[in-house]
Amino acid sequence: MKSYEENRGLVQLQDIRAQVNHSFWGFFGLSVLKFLTIIVAVMICCFPVLYFMIPMAIVMPIYVFTKQDATGAYSESYSLIRDELLMTFLTVLLLFILVMVLSFVFALPATMYTYLKMGLFSVTSTPPL
């Protein structure tokens, strides 16, 4: 979309490839850093996992919106939640609950249809004699 807007309706594939190659390694490195942080927190104990999960939940949006490097976004996530740890934890928890409830609500009709269809086909089929 950025290439489309900058080139007034023309998409430059070379520009898109260059942008993807430029940002891929940052996302990959940040993902590895997040994974290692969570693994170390799990190995230490249960409480650090909760402490480290909060910055790891917001590190990718920080990386995307502030256009920093991966280590800058990583350190920025800790400095951002330093004073508001409890409020950020409650926000992440609320979003998690909201996503779970919405996924259940949208999956419920498909589940009901599957069980209804399974029940109707089991009644109509008779075993051979």
Side-chain angles (χ1 to χ4, degrees), residues 30-64:
L30 192 56
S31 297
V32 169
L33 194 59
K34 281 177 59 173
F35 177 74
L36 291 175
T37 302
I38 296 297
I39 292 298
V40 168
V42 166
M43 290 172 55
I44 292 173
C45 192
C46 191
F47 177 70
V49 173
L50 295 176
Y51 176 75
F52 287 114
M53 281 177 61
I54 298 166
M56 295 304 108
I58 62 172
V59 72
M60 284 294 187
I62 290 173
Y63 179 70
V64 170

Side-chain angles (χ1 to χ4, degrees), residues 18-32:
Q19 291 282 341
V20 168
N21 288 336
H22 176 71
S23 64
F24 173 76
W25 292 110
F27 278 110
F28 181 73
L30 192 56
S31 297
V32 169

Side-chain angles (χ1 to χ4, degrees), residues 54-123:
I54 298 166
M56 295 304 108
I58 62 172
V59 72
M60 284 294 187
I62 290 173
Y63 179 70
V64 170
F65 291 121
T66 62
K67 295 182 175 70
Q68 297 182 18
D69 58 339
T71 56
Y74 186 81
S75 63
E76 180 72 22
S77 69
Y78 284 102
S79 65
L80 188 64
I81 65 143
R82 183 178 3 168
D83 297 331
E84 299 294 330
L85 180 67
L86 183 62
M87 187 57 70
T88 309
F89 175 72
L90 292 175
T91 303
V92 169
L93 183 67
L94 180 68
L95 286 173
F96 175 74
I97 292 170
L98 183 66
V99 166
M100 294 302 292
V101 167
L102 287 176
S103 66
F104 174 74
V105 166
F106 285 114
L108 189 62
T111 305
M112 289 173 53
Y113 173 74
T114 302
Y115 286 143
L116 183 66
K117 185 176 173 184
M118 184 173 51
L120 288 177
F121 282 140
S122 67
V123 171

